[in-house]
Amino acid sequence: MTAAAVGEPAGEDRPETLLLVEDDAGDALLIEEFLADSGLHARLTWARSLGQARELLTDGESPGCVLLDLHLPDAQGLDALREMLAAAPSAAVIVLTGLSEERAGLAAVSVGAQDYLVKGQLEPRWLGRAIRYAVQRKQVALSAAALQVGRLRAEENARLERGLLPRPLVSDDRLNVVTRYRPGRVHSLLGGDFFDVVETADGAVHAVIGDVAGHGAAEAAMGVCLRVAWRSFVLAGLSGARLVGMLEELLLAERDDSEAFVTLTSVTVAPDRERAMIVRAGHPGLLSYDAAGRVRLVEPPGGIALGMMPGLGGWPEEPVPLPPGGGLVLFTDGLFEGQTGPDGERLDLAGLVELAREAGGAGLDAERFVDALISGAEAASADHGGLDDDVAVLHLGWRAP
């Protein structure tokens, strides 16, 4: 195995990195001379077999282009090409064939090579041009593949978003429901935060907000599963601790990771809007405010997160009085866990309550109130990377009769 710089002097352009896989020393020397005369600024590495080529690819950077002989001591024909394509998926591959093997060259292109060259017809200018064009075609193909992956990911994200963040199912025009979701800056995709609001035939309003631990498609899919199940259970007449227990059973049946867990808060607001029954499973508290904009943090007793200790999580259902013309704000921990100081200080719940009181005191409407909470939390952590976790906020308000 040898490496040599050929073509133009180093420093004028970034050299093209080439790997020649050729067992014939005479052919290898001829190709090196042609490259030197081609005007292509390149750094050539020579491997005598496919095995040596794999070692080079493992130990060093991937080359921009591979010149591959189809007759090697340890690999022959299209099998050699397939193995090289698998070993260097980001490199352009040009196959080197004999005078009587043009059909083999065409077959190689159909398998995945960017081009083929006949050894007996090589000329310096054609060799340099073929390498440039092959590298460009490979870069275009890689870019197109990346765009396709991005498009498919965006479509998947949109489907998950529709499942995680549904339209509230309410008919009472006195209700004021505002929802917001903002993915964390680290991953910029949906995580496992979910919420929902359903009004049942008796006039009660049921709301849930939850957070599947972790980020990614699996967590988002689990969030969709739990959110849809929650709505189904509510419409079937379940509520309170029994409903939460059913959700844990579903989590245990569906999760791939035995350590996966979910925090959530489930709220049932009575038809008279004077009280709510709240069940918390490892989730942070919620905010309550009155018609004058006075805000307080509500943290009724709760149980452990779903899936933490299966079958052992008793979840008390706690009544909470509600002020006329007020509302509730449910949220996930991403809203208050942003770093605000150089020593790891966090906004925390106390800081969030202060933000809410400032916004409530300003007499903002529900949408502006929720947006002020999120923008205030972002501003507080802006000097330390901003909010890096998903943020979900659910506002549930009502006008006084």
Side-chain angles (χ1 to χ4, degrees):
M1 295 178 284
T2 61
V6 296
E8 299 175 5
E12 293 188 20
D13 287 304
R14 182 179 181 275
E16 190 65 64
T17 54
L18 306 178
L19 174 61
L20 172 63
V21 189
E22 169 64 71
D23 64 326
D24 188 298
D27 286 344
L29 180 61
L30 184 64
I31 289 173
E32 185 174 341
E33 292 176 351
F34 282 174
L35 283 171
D37 295 336
S38 68
L40 180 68
H41 184 198
R43 181 170 182 82
L44 178 68
T45 302
W46 173 32
R48 295 174 179 268
S49 67
L50 193 62
Q52 289 181 339
R54 285 201 199 94
E55 292 178 8
L56 287 170
L57 292 169
T58 301
D59 297 337
E61 64 176 336
S62 178
C65 183
V66 176
L67 302 174
L68 176 67
D69 183 26
L70 290 182
H71 301 286
L72 299 170
D74 52 353
Q76 297 286 318
L78 296 181
D79 289 338
L81 172 61
R82 293 188 181 95
E83 292 188 44
M84 179 54 64
L85 291 172
S90 62
V93 178
I94 298 177
V95 165
L96 303 176
T97 67
L99 288 171
S100 61
E101 296 180 311
E102 187 167 357
R103 294 181 63 182
L106 293 172
V109 171
S110 68
V111 168
Q114 270 61 55
D115 203 349
Y116 72 94
L117 295 173
V118 179
K119 291 182 180 180
Q121 298 176 353
L122 280 178
E123 293 184 14
R125 60 172 181 166
W126 298 120
L127 178 58
R129 179 179 294 181
I131 291 172
R132 291 190 186 95
Y133 287 174
V135 170
Q136 290 176 358
R137 284 194 293 272
K138 184 64 176 182
Q139 290 174 346
V140 169
L142 291 174
S143 297
L147 287 173
Q148 175 70 357
V149 170
R151 184 183 67 80
L152 293 175
R153 182 173 296 173
E155 291 178 354
E156 178 185 78
N157 213 43
R159 289 194 296 270
L160 290 173
E161 182 175 2
R162 287 193 294 271
L164 285 168
L165 318 176
R167 292 182 179 180
L169 184 61
V170 297
S171 58
D172 187 347
D173 58 8
R174 293 179 300 167
L175 290 172
N176 189 359
V177 179
V178 177
T179 61
R180 294 288 187 270
Y181 180 89
R182 199 212 61 142
R185 292 181 181 177
V186 171
H187 41 89
S188 298
L189 295 172
L190 288 171
D193 291 9
F194 62 93
F195 54 73
D196 202 355
V197 180
V198 172
E199 182 183 4
T200 47
D202 60 358
V205 177
H206 307 261
V208 68
I209 193 162
D211 185 357
V212 182
H215 305 291
E219 289 76 14
M222 178 58 71
V224 172
C225 180
L226 293 173
R227 201 281 305 167
V228 173
W230 178 89
R231 177 176 283 203
S232 300
F233 291 152
V234 167
L235 294 175
L238 292 180
S239 64
R242 184 183 176 198
L243 185 155
V244 174
M246 294 287 287
L247 291 177
E248 182 177 61
E249 290 185 22
L250 180 64
L251 170 66
L252 298 178
E254 295 293 331
R255 67 182 181 181
D256 295 327
D257 181 359
S258 61
E259 297 183 356
F261 65 92
V262 177
T263 69
L264 65 80
T265 294
S266 183
V267 177
T268 300
V269 178
D272 58 13
R273 312 296 184 243
E274 293 181 358
R275 68 191 184 282
M277 302 300 293
I278 298 177
V279 179
R280 289 202 302 147
H283 204 75
L286 59 155
L287 301 176
S288 173
Y289 68 91
D290 60 20
R294 292 184 291 263
V295 178
R296 67 187 181 97
L297 179 65
V298 179
E299 294 182 290
I304 60 176
L306 307 187
M308 291 283 287
M309 298 179 67
L312 299 179
W315 299 284
E317 190 172 8
E318 296 293 323
V320 173
L322 299 176
L328 300 173
V329 180
L330 290 71
F331 47 85
T332 54
D333 57 11
L335 185 61
F336 60 85
E337 288 193 340
Q339 183 177 347
T340 59
D343 297 323
E345 299 91 341
R346 304 277 177 183
L347 178 65
D348 215 344
L349 284 170
L352 181 63
V353 171
E354 288 303 314
L355 287 176
R357 286 172 176 164
E358 292 174 7
L364 302 179
D365 62 31
E367 293 205 7
R368 293 173 61 198
F369 176 60
V370 171
D371 291 338
L373 281 180
I374 297 174
S375 61
E378 288 179 328
S381 58
D383 294 337
H384 301 278
L387 302 178
D388 58 3
D389 197 3
D390 305 306
V391 174
V393 181
L394 167 60
H395 168 280
L396 181 60
W398 49 87
R399 293 192 295 275

